[in-house]
Amino acid sequence: MLEKKSVSVTLEHVTKRFKNVKGKKDVIAVNEANLVIEPGELVTLLGPSGCGKTTTLRMIAGFELPTEGKIFIGNEEVTMMPPNKRDTATMFQSYGLFPHMTVYDNVAYGLKLRKIPADQIKEKVNETLGMVGLADYGDRAPSKLSGGQQQRVALARSLIVTPSVLLLDEPLSNLDALLREQMRIEIRKIQKDLGITAVYVTHDRVEAMSLSDRVVVMKDGFIRQIGPPSVIYEEPNSRFVAGFVGKATFFPVKILRKDAEKWICELGGKEAVVSHAGDNVEVGMEAVLMARPESLRVVEPGTGHIEGKVRMNVYLGNSLESFINTSFGEVLVQVDDPHAKKIYAEGSDVSIDFAPDRVRLLNKDET
Amino acid sequence: MFTKKRIIQFCFAALIFLSLDLWMFKTLSTNFRSYEELRNFNEIELFAQTAPEDQDLQAYEKWIPSVKSIIAGARAFYFSFDEMQGDFVPSTGSETSFRLWDKYKESTEFRKAMESVYYLEPMKLSGSYKADYSLDPDIHSQETIASQVYFVPVIDENGYQANGAIMILVPNSTATGYMSLLRTIFISAAVIFLGIMLVITFTRDPITGFMVLALFGVVVIFIAYPLLEAVRLSFMKDGVVSLQTWKETLSPTYLVALWGSLRLGVLTATISTIVGYMFAFLIERTSFRQKKVMSTLATMPVISPPFSLSLSIILLFGNNGLISKQLLHLNTSIYGLGGLTLVEVIGMFPIAFMTISGVLRQIDSTVEDASLDLNATKWHTFKSITLPLSAPGIVSAWLLVFTNSLADFANPLLLSGDYRVLSTEAYMLVTGRSNLSAGSALSFLLLMPTITAFLIQRQWVGKKSYVTVTGKPSTTLTELTNKPVRVSLEVVSWTFIGFIVALYLTIVAGCFVVNWGIDYSFTLANWGEALSRGWTAIRDTVTLAAIATPIAGLLAMLTAMLVVRKKFPGKRLLETLIMTPYAIPGTLIGISYILAFNKPPLLLVGTGAIIVINYVIRELPVGVENGITALHQIDPAIEESAADLGADVTTVFRTIVLPLIRPAFLSSMSYTFVRSMTAVSAIIFLISARWNHLTVLIFNFSENLRFGLASVLSTILIVIVLMVWALMQVLVKDDKLTQKTISTR
């Protein structure tokens, strides 16, 4: 088995500015990023395209230099160190397999550079190919493999040099849905077994949720929130994070007062109680009330917070999605285990209800 | 990157090194000077002892100039001792020395020296004096040079008293050779050290830094420096800044030549573009069958040696030509604009053909279908759709041929007759009248239209392309001709090709004829003579081309990688400088090379190295372009993966980049080899007694009407070039095969 190595990765005030050659303005890809990744942790950088997540990864790998700030791997500062001197291994979106070499030579490449005796290389390559399930594919050309197999070759090639940090740049985006799920689990298993520190870049929230110990949500070069998947999903600090990591409805509200750690706000002319709030929320301000579809309940007209009419029901087996027209627009309510609940027919008047601790007050700014 | 700490570090190291460098230089040069002084003293004292014994003036007149045999370039003047005056009086010797003495005789320095001599002590004056050597010039010194002044007594046989005194001038120039070498060594040491320090302190990837630095070195020394030197010298006359050269150049005599070049260029470009379009259209857009054969034959003239077509035209249509004289008994001359245009069109229409083919191939046939569908005639469709769509190709082809025609040197050299063009005019000035500065001024005159055309082609046409590559190639091409049109196109094209083939066969025939034009009987004697007289040239040419080929190939690929994948300051400048030799005529490069490299510190004229360097520099642009295109098609993640796994820049280049761009690498090597074997315009200035070039020998034979010998050498050259070309073709194919075997295993 490959040896275990666990180190931390630290970013201190890392900023990356790209000089724009033709236009006059510089592009700030990453702005003042501060991040500590613990040894053995898998951290996902999540965000829409252009948010700076790949640039951050490439700075950790050494392909880009930060304009300002410092990067540490373990206790060693690596800010200026070229990629070939860093103890990192990157898996690229396009795999970056060497097309003129066989699968075996691809995997052996890093070991050959380290001047390891041929018989040891052979043993290690075969072992690693076995680990990713490609034991019999050593003499094939990479171009003759399927996408998933190419993915495994890239993984084997990265892991065989026992890097301290594994960097994954949207590695699954070229695979079909089923394979993606399978590979996701496989990567997570191997990462846990080896205890290797990993940074994973993706724009897919499901991938980020299911893989990570912690998720870093980024937008426009800024880190917006860092936390375990459950926190990111259930306790988002901003409207952007809430909307990006899952389905949500935002009701405009006015915050009236705060009573015993609970927020009292005005929602559609009635008062509503909310237990939690995100950043930049104060008494007296206009805000939004964020509700996930599964946090809402459909109840008899007049008994809930918001009145409406069922427009359409979509049956999904383990749940049912109810689209309800309200004065705030269309609201999606997810009814779990629909057999055990009362289902309101399309066209019937209903009311939407929620528990105070299942929704969240957020600053109404989109960003 | 440029942190305060690093800057201080760098300045500190630089300061230490520079002071060390300077100190060593000072010490060595002082040592050298004092050693030289000592040696001169010894020599001069020995010289004084050889003074004639009798005080006869004539004997002294004879003896005094012999000082030159002891110290090169020295001048002496003899003063005899006049008992009456109790002083030394001027007697005989060099005018140069006398004038200097006359000027300074009242100075304390000179008085002290005379006094010292009176007491039998030789003396050297401190400091140096400017003496005018043009008063009595010799091969070592003609102008005003700072000199050392020595005074030495001529002692009578008893050794008690000075019979006379000798004043000796030693020009500093004897020492400057050594001193300038010393200076060069120390300055380059400082430059190299500072460069290395700069890279080590301020880059995080020293290997890339060094490669970039080395590349800049090559480019500055072998491209920028010679060109600047040529510019500088065109503004100099007899050592002073002057516009004289340019005045001469812009006189009617040479403007006629410029007009001649332009006229020839326009004619050649226009006809070549028409012929090229015909071939391109026939091959790309009709259902013509022998496309492969035709396009191979039509591209052949591009790789044929420079004099071969002219030679063959002379053999057929010259004053004693087979067709003009023997068959038709004509008296018209092929020499001049007509013959030149004919030869250049044959030699350069392939450029137009290839450029236009590229554009025609990409036109989406569906737009023509749409036109036909709207009931336009085929002719109307061609006129209103196909022709306008191929306009960028036509303009591009015209400009390229125009540039090539202006720079053409070999054909005008043989065929121009009384017609005058700039490129050969510059050559005549340099070789015939050894007027290098006028030669370079003429080449610059030629450069202006060339570079204008080149820039238009690059900037304007390059962007104004109507053709879009959709990545969805249409499978069928619409036949735009009817049968009679196609057949007539075919007939014309085949006739043209037939003529070209006949030209080459004429050269082969020329090898086996006793004396073309006079005696057509069969002989093999040409072969023996040509091989015995041309063997060294063949060997030299192949050797030098073979040395240049891998260097140019590797350098081109390395440059391409740095340009495409690395960020460094001055990248645009580097790219521009590397591409420069592509746009400037060979004559200018040749002239600027002899101007720049026939003096220290880089005395390269006469060596094989300068020829190799010239090959490499001239063919680098095409190789770099090839490499850049190839690299753009390769996912950067592949190289990044390798770097990530621990490979440094050189390893990435060797194990990843080079294998992946192997076709570009091979084709730029074959291009370099072929072009080097057939080079003439720059090379003709750089060959020497030791290193000759086959094409120059062919030219010499043709000029001396030894057509048999010229034919044999041309044939040999064509065979070598074709063999190498075919070999490279096979190698590139072989590459695909190995890939296939890997993938099907």
Side-chain angles (χ1 to χ4, degrees), chain A residues 114-293:
Chain A
R114 284 162 179 74
K115 303 263 182 308
I116 290 168
D119 49 332
Q120 280 182 41
I121 292 182
K122 197 170 177 191
E123 193 182 320
K124 232 174 153 187
V125 170
N126 288 334
E127 183 195 21
T128 313
L129 279 176
M131 186 174 81
V132 296
L134 288 174
D136 300 329
Y137 292 80
D139 54 359
R140 301 248 183 128
S143 58
K144 294 286 143 185
L145 300 182
S146 71
Q149 287 168 329
Q150 292 184 5
Q151 179 71 70
R152 287 161 209 262
V153 177
L155 185 63
R157 192 181 63 178
S158 299
L159 290 175
I160 200 165
V161 295
T162 58
S164 310
V165 183
L166 183 62
L167 304 169
L168 304 107
D169 184 8
E170 310 210 16
L172 305 181
S173 58
N174 289 337
L175 302 181
D176 61 59
L178 204 70
L179 207 55
R180 204 180 311 181
E181 205 166 315
Q182 205 182 326
M183 278 306 292
R184 201 163 67 208
I185 295 165
E186 212 159 322
I187 287 176
R188 180 61 163 157
K189 266 191 201 154
I190 292 174
Q191 184 264 334
K192 278 207 156 167
D193 286 346
L194 297 178
I196 192 170
T197 312
V199 184
Y200 191 105
V201 162
T202 183
H203 61 264
D204 182 332
R205 62 194 168 84
V206 180
E207 221 167 270
M209 293 289 161
S210 56
L211 264 174
S212 341
D213 294 311
R214 281 193 300 157
V215 179
V216 177
V217 186
M218 294 182 74
K219 186 177 188 237
D220 298 334
F222 288 93
I223 292 181
R224 302 305 302 270
Q225 194 169 354
I226 305 175
S230 59
V231 172
I232 294 286
Y233 186 79
E234 285 160 21
E235 300 163 27
N237 283 333
S238 60
R239 189 167 171 176
F240 165 74
V241 174
F244 193 78
V245 300
K247 289 178 186 163
T249 308
F250 300 98
F251 300 103
V253 293
K254 184 164 170 47
I255 303 172
L256 301 173
R257 60 185 186 279
K258 206 170 171 189
D259 280 353
E261 295 301 303
K262 300 232 158 133
W263 302 78
I264 315 294
C265 58
E266 185 214 309
L267 170 63
K270 292 186 219 166
E271 283 196 0
V273 182
V274 179
S275 314
H276 309 289
D279 294 341
N280 304 323
V281 175
E282 279 158 39
V283 172
M285 76 192 308
E286 307 267 334
V288 289
L289 188 150
M290 184 279 289
R292 301 265 179 226

Side-chain angles (χ1 to χ4, degrees), chain B residues 336-399:
Chain B
L337 183 61
L340 266 179
T341 312
L342 176 65
V343 172
E344 288 197 350
V345 166
I346 294 171
M348 295 172 191
F349 90 91
I351 301 172
F353 160 61
M354 289 188 285
T355 313
I356 297 170
S357 297
V359 175
L360 279 182
R361 204 176 304 141
Q362 287 177 9
I363 292 177
D364 191 345
S365 212
T366 48
V367 291
E368 290 156 352
D369 289 346
S371 168
L372 291 171
D373 204 39
L374 293 165
N375 286 344
T377 59
K378 283 186 171 177
W379 168 243
H380 192 84
T381 301
F382 172 77
K383 205 176 62 177
S384 59
I385 307 287
T386 317
L387 200 59
L389 277 178
S390 50
I394 295 172
V395 178
S396 190
W398 194 92
L399 290 169

Side-chain angles (χ1 to χ4, degrees), chain A residues 58 62-65 80-84 88-90 92 94 96-101 109 113-114 141 144 157, chain B residues 1 6 204-205 567 635 637-638 640-648 651-652 655-656 659-660 739 742-743 745:
Chain A
R58 288 173 63 80
F63 299 127
E64 305 282 354
L65 279 184
M80 288 295 162
M81 198 184 269
N84 55 320
T88 57
T90 312
F92 293 89
S94 56
L97 295 178
F98 310 135
H100 59 300
M101 296 182 190
Y109 188 83
L113 287 176
R114 284 162 179 74
K144 294 286 143 185
R157 192 181 63 178
Chain B
M1 191 117 321
R6 282 171 191 238
R204 58 180 199 135
D205 184 357
K567 290 178 214 149
D635 185 0
I638 295 172
E640 284 174 353
S641 299
D644 206 42
L645 291 168
D648 58 28
T651 315
V652 173
T655 59
I656 309 291
L660 286 181
Q739 272 192 353
I742 289 176
S743 50
R745 226 188 309 172

Side-chain angles (χ1 to χ4, degrees), chain B residues 582 619 622-623 626 666-676:
Chain B
Y582 186 71
E619 311 316 334
V622 173
N626 278 346
L666 287 175
S667 72
S668 44
M669 285 213 293
S670 77
Y671 179 82
T672 304
F673 187 83
V674 169
R675 294 271 300 174
S676 302

Side-chain angles (χ1 to χ4, degrees), chain B residues 42-183:
Chain B
N42 289 339
E43 300 283 351
I44 285 166
E45 278 182 336
L46 278 174
F47 172 68
Q49 282 166 20
T50 63
E53 293 198 356
D54 50 350
Q55 296 281 340
D56 180 23
L57 187 67
Q58 277 182 352
Y60 272 86
E61 253 172 36
K62 259 188 166 166
W63 168 70
I64 279 290
S66 70
V67 69
K68 290 176 190 173
S69 62
I70 294 176
I71 301 173
R75 300 285 191 281
F77 194 86
Y78 180 66
F79 300 83
S80 59
F81 189 72
D82 188 48
E83 303 274 352
M84 308 289 285
Q85 294 180 27
D87 202 355
F88 295 103
V89 290
S91 172
T92 178
S94 120
E95 187 67 16
T96 309
S97 303
F98 177 70
R99 285 290 174 82
L100 190 77
W101 177 78
D102 203 40
K103 196 171 162 193
Y104 290 105
K105 62 185 172 189
E106 299 303 329
S107 70
T108 35
E109 275 275 317
F110 272 62
R111 284 175 168 279
K112 234 175 29 199
M114 281 301 196
E115 204 172 309
S116 156
V117 170
Y118 180 75
Y119 293 112
L120 306 185
E121 267 304 308
M123 184 171 169
K124 177 186 166 289
L125 298 188
S126 59
S128 50
Y129 290 82
K130 281 207 185 299
D132 183 6
Y133 285 83
S134 61
L135 295 169
D136 48 354
D138 69 356
I139 49 157
H140 293 290
S141 26
Q142 294 101 9
E143 69 253 27
T144 307
I145 307 172
S147 310
Q148 305 296 323
V149 182
Y150 293 84
F151 281 93
V152 61
V154 178
I155 303 168
D156 71 353
E157 59 247 58
N158 304 324
Y160 292 131
Q161 146 184 27
N163 278 342
I166 314 168
M167 169 185 161
I168 297 173
L169 288 182
V170 181
N172 280 348
S173 60
T174 49
T176 49
Y178 175 81
M179 287 304 287
S180 77
L181 181 73
L182 206 64
R183 202 172 301 130

